[in-house]
């Protein structure tokens, strides 16, 4: 009888501690599709972090695909997501990039559900003018997360180590929301430096405009390098950077400064790249802390601080850029 009571007691304790624990759900809202070179590494990083930190967790992902759809379609997807949240009441929402942040902020800013963001390109200070969710970088509402710093000064410094002082750098950018946001980030990160006077902007919205701008960038001798920020343009359908990368690299035989590893894998030269996976991973760590403690206010908004120096040697050869062994040692990763 005593043996039976002991077995019963330990079984009851186990059930209380493990068997009856409530499964929590996190909704991940991605701005783009599941192959996007900026969004998907963040999603994967966040999921890996959450799974490592939290047991008995259900994760559901929604992709807004904002690069390929109209504003009206995007608003409809956002509203549908909001309805799902209201009916299902997840424990937390994690967003990647700006469209997802804006969707969550529209519906849930100041609500009970905590929201952690990753990879916003519009500065937290700018968003704070509208949503009033921060005091300096400390959350006063239910939102916190990681701002995507592009390390623009470090990019330019690396180019000058490779080729000497440069005169001009071009920013080839699409006139969609993300292209404009990246342009503003370049301005923001260079505003207190003399480098700001060396930037030349080339806006494009169609393939024909892209062709013309690419030809001009290639022709201008004072332009040594450029940023390919062509995130979404129109042809017969919406095209993303993945679709037009080969067009750009074929027309421009200069140093392409890539903001992440996935850009380099598309054929661009490289440089100092944001580590999108680690940025998402950090957002996942912040989300895990909130799930454990319920204290969003204890986590200040952060700048992404992880980057990788990466070079595509095939592209370097293609643009006839001689890289010496000593210069190769500057890079963390090589793509051949």
């Amino acid at each position: 009888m005593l043996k039976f009571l002991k077995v019963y007691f330990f079984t009851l304790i186990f059930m209380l501690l493990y068997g009856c624990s409530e499964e929590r759900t996190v909704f991940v809202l991605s701005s783009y599709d599941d192959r996007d070179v900026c969004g998907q590494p963040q999603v994967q990083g966040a999921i890996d972090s959450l799974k490592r930190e939290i047991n008995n967790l259900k994760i559901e992902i929604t992709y807004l695909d904002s690069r390929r759809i109209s504003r009206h379609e995007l608003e409809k997807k956002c509203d549908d997501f909001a309805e799902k949240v209201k009916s299902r009441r997840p424990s937390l929402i994690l967003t990647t990039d700006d469209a997802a942040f804006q969707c969550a902020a529209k519906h849930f800013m100041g609500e009970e559900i905590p929201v952690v963001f990753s990879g916003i390109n519009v500065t937290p200070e700018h968003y704070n003018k509208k949503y009033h969710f921060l005091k300096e970088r400390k959350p006063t509402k239910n939102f916190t997360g990681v701002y995507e710093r592009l390390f623009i000064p470090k990019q330019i410094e690396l180019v000058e180590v490779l080729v000497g002082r440069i005169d001009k750098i071009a920013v080839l950018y699409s006139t969609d929301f993300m292209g404009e946001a990246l342009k503003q980030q370049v301005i923001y990160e260079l505003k207190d430096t003399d480098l700001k006077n060396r930037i030349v902007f080339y806006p494009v919205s169609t393939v024909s405009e892209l062709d013309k701008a690419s030809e001009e960038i290639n022709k201008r001798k004072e332009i040594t390098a450029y940023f390919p920020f062509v995130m979404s343009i129109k042809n017969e359908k919406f095209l993303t950077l993945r679709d037009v990368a080969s067009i750009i690299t074929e027309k421009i035989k200069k140093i392409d400064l890539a903001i992440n590893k996935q850009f380099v894998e598309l054929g661009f030269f490289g440089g100092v790249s944001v580590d999108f996976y680690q940025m998402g991973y950090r957002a996942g760590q912040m989300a895990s802390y909130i799930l454990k403690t319920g204290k969003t206010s204890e986590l200040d908004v952060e700048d992404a601080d992880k980057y990788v120096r990466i070079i595509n040697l095939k592209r370097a050869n293609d643009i006839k850029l001689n890289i010496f062994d000593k210069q190769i040692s500057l890079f963390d990763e090589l793509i051949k």
Side-chain angles (χ1 to χ4, degrees):
M1 182 65 176
L2 182 60
K3 183 178 180 180
F4 172 79
L5 288 175
K6 285 183 178 180
V7 172
Y8 176 80
F9 174 76
F10 285 114
T11 301
L12 180 62
I13 293 297
F14 180 85
M15 289 293 292
L16 288 173
L17 291 178
Y18 301 102
C20 297
S21 60
E22 181 182 357
E23 182 181 63
R24 288 175 289 183
T25 301
V26 169
F27 283 178
V28 176
L29 181 64
S30 171
S31 294
Y32 311 127
D33 62 32
D34 61 359
R35 296 178 65 244
D36 189 83
V37 295
C38 295
Q40 192 56 24
Q42 293 177 73
V43 171
Q44 192 59 57
I47 290 173
D48 288 349
S49 179
L50 283 162
K51 287 184 176 180
R52 180 174 181 176
E53 296 286 336
I54 304 292
N55 294 322
N56 204 25
L57 183 67
K58 183 176 182 181
I59 300 173
E60 295 188 18
I61 311 171
T62 298
Y63 293 99
L64 292 176
D65 199 16
S66 65
R67 296 202 202 279
R68 299 177 182 273
I69 62 177
S70 68
R71 169 57 62 177
H72 175 74
E73 291 172 309
L74 178 59
E75 289 175 353
K76 176 66 166 57
K77 281 194 170 187
C78 175
D79 291 343
D80 290 344
F81 174 78
E83 287 302 315
K84 184 171 77 167
V85 171
K86 290 171 184 176
S87 64
R88 297 274 303 282
R89 304 300 298 177
S91 302
L92 183 140
I93 299 169
L94 191 148
T95 70
T96 62
D97 297 290
D98 289 80
F101 171 88
Q102 291 172 8
C103 174
K106 174 184 175 182
H107 290 282
F108 302 109
M109 183 66 73
E111 300 293 326
E112 291 183 3
I113 297 175
V115 178
V116 175
F117 57 82
S118 171
I120 58 171
N121 295 94
V122 176
T123 66
E125 290 75 17
H126 182 85
Y127 278 132
N128 196 45
K129 292 177 182 178
K130 179 176 181 179
Y131 297 112
H132 309 291
F133 67 107
L134 299 173
K135 184 176 182 180
E136 295 181 348
R137 286 291 183 96
K138 183 171 289 296
T140 57
K141 294 181 181 176
N142 57 321
F143 274 61
T144 192
V146 186
Y147 168 67
E148 180 187 322
R149 187 153 53 114
L150 297 182
F151 306 103
I152 301 297
K154 289 184 180 294
Q155 289 271 34
I156 298 173
E157 289 168 11
L158 180 60
V159 174
E160 293 196 322
V161 169
L162 297 176
V163 301
R165 190 184 188 283
I166 56 179
D167 187 5
K168 297 292 183 183
I169 294 177
V171 176
L172 178 65
Y173 71 99
S174 51
T175 56
D176 64 327
F177 173 83
M178 276 312 306
E180 290 284 354
L182 290 168
K183 170 194 171 184
Q184 292 302 320
Q185 274 190 279
V186 173
I187 295 171
Y188 176 76
E189 293 193 17
L190 297 181
K191 65 180 180 180
D192 296 323
T193 75
D194 63 353
L195 296 172
K196 63 185 178 184
N197 299 317
R198 302 199 225 167
I199 303 297
V200 184
F201 293 101
Y202 285 88
V204 297
S205 59
T206 65
V207 171
S208 61
E209 290 177 356
L210 175 63
D211 287 341
K212 183 178 179 181
S214 298
E215 289 170 1
E216 184 174 337
I217 291 170
N218 193 59
K219 189 183 300 181
R220 289 182 60 176
K221 292 183 179 180
E222 71 272 26
I223 295 177
T224 304
Y226 74 101
F227 290 96
F229 290 160
V230 184
M231 310 315 293
S232 179
I233 60 174
K234 289 182 180 179
N235 193 19
E236 294 179 356
K237 59 180 181 178
F238 287 103
L239 302 176
T240 69
L241 186 63
R242 182 181 293 278
D243 302 311
V244 301
S246 60
I247 297 174
I248 299 171
T249 53
E250 179 62 30
K251 290 185 176 292
I252 304 178
K253 299 302 180 181
K254 298 187 177 183
I255 298 172
D256 338 80
L257 293 171
I259 59 170
N260 72 12
K261 180 178 179 179
Q262 286 68 35
F263 280 33
V264 186
E265 291 172 347
L266 291 178
F268 295 112
F269 173 82
V272 181
S273 300
V274 182
D275 194 326
F276 278 64
Y277 176 88
Q278 288 298 330
M279 183 165 57
Y281 195 94
R282 177 56 187 152
Q285 289 179 320
M286 296 173 82
S288 298
Y289 180 85
I290 293 168
L291 288 171
K292 292 174 181 177
T293 67
K295 297 178 180 179
T296 305
S297 62
E298 292 186 356
L299 297 176
D300 290 2
V301 171
E302 301 178 5
D303 287 351
D305 62 354
K306 298 290 193 302
Y307 60 84
V308 59
R309 295 183 181 91
I310 185 169
I311 183 173
N312 185 328
L313 292 174
K314 182 177 182 299
R315 179 60 175 168
N317 183 65
D318 181 46
I319 62 177
K320 297 180 172 54
L321 181 64
N322 294 320
I323 305 292
F324 303 108
D325 290 344
K326 187 175 180 180
Q327 293 173 325
I328 287 290
S329 67
L330 297 171
F331 294 91
D332 304 303
E333 293 188 31
L334 309 178
I335 293 180
K336 299 180 180 181

